[in-house]
Amino acid sequence: DCTCWGSSGSVFRKVHQAAKQRQYEEHRLFLDSVKVFDGPSDKQKDLIAELVQCEEVVPGQRVVMQGEASTAIYLVKSGTLRVMAGGKATSSGSLVGGEQVGLLNPGDSFGAVELLAEETYSSSIVGHEKCELLCISATHLKSVFGVHMRTALEQAIIRHSMHASCMLSGFSAEQ
């Protein structure tokens, strides 16, 4: 069985625009809740919310592989990811072997340190349960921050480290 439906171009554009607006608002709200993006201005966050790409990850799906170069920053919007040391990629793209060394939860991010240092990933990231990731490429970061991209990444890493530290997490951004 097959069903066919149609729509005028103007109705389709209107529906598409409404869906894009809802997605933008959802991304913008999420960016406000993520510590790594505490520093950018509202205008910069608006641009980031327009540029991020959504990625759906299923359990066992490899997101990045140990030894790969970072080309983006990933934000965990929902679900969890396993951080794996060692292991090998199969021809189908899944990871075999390795040892779990961490877990990434909603609000966590990865890729900023590697992007800033121009280093490869020191571990693989694999879906633990169904996840939604927001991804912003280095190219898009450059378009948002311009020549200040390096400073913005350094500040984001410092904020993330302070938030993760038991001793420093009680301080406010101003302190």
Side-chain angles (χ1 to χ4, degrees):
D1 282 339
C2 179
T3 303
C4 183
W5 59 273
S7 169
S8 71
S10 62
V11 170
F12 179 78
R13 279 190 295 281
K14 190 181 235 183
V15 169
H16 180 69
Q17 272 306 109
K20 280 180 64 175
Q21 183 64 31
R22 278 192 309 274
Q23 186 178 47
Y24 162 80
E25 289 168 2
E26 188 178 301
H27 292 167
R28 185 61 174 85
L29 189 62
F30 180 72
L31 289 174
D32 280 337
S33 73
V34 179
K35 292 289 181 200
V36 76
F37 280 107
D38 275 351
S41 69
D42 284 342
K43 184 178 178 182
Q44 289 169 326
K45 287 183 193 177
D46 290 343
L47 288 170
I48 292 168
E50 290 177 13
L51 296 171
V52 293
Q53 299 293 313
C54 289
E55 290 188 23
E56 296 286 329
V57 178
V58 297
Q61 180 182 342
R62 181 174 49 95
V63 180
V64 298
M65 185 71 185
Q66 184 174 336
E68 287 179 345
S70 176
T71 58
I73 294 177
Y74 293 87
L75 307 169
V76 182
K77 188 172 180 186
S78 66
T80 57
L81 299 161
R82 293 182 294 141
V83 180
M84 305 292 291
K88 296 197 189 281
T90 65
S91 59
S92 66
S94 60
L95 182 71
V96 175
E99 176 185 349
Q100 183 173 327
V101 295
L103 200 62
L104 296 170
N105 296 300
D108 289 338
S109 64
F110 60 96
V113 172
E114 294 83 359
L115 197 59
L116 178 64
E118 298 179 1
E119 293 180 356
T120 60
Y121 285 103
S122 59
S123 53
S124 299
I125 309 291
V126 178
H128 180 61
E129 59 186 26
K130 186 177 177 185
C131 293
E132 184 178 359
L133 302 178
L134 296 184
C135 172
I136 180 142
S137 70
T139 303
H140 286 139
L141 286 168
K142 286 177 189 170
S143 73
V144 172
F145 296 109
V147 296
H148 304 291
M149 185 179 99
R150 184 170 190 79
T151 302
L153 286 174
E154 288 171 346
Q155 290 172 350
I157 292 166
I158 291 168
R159 276 190 299 281
H160 179 266
S161 298
M162 289 181 69
H163 176 70
S165 166
C166 294
M167 185 184 301
L168 300 175
S169 63
F171 289 104
S172 68
E174 293 79 29
Q175 292 172 318

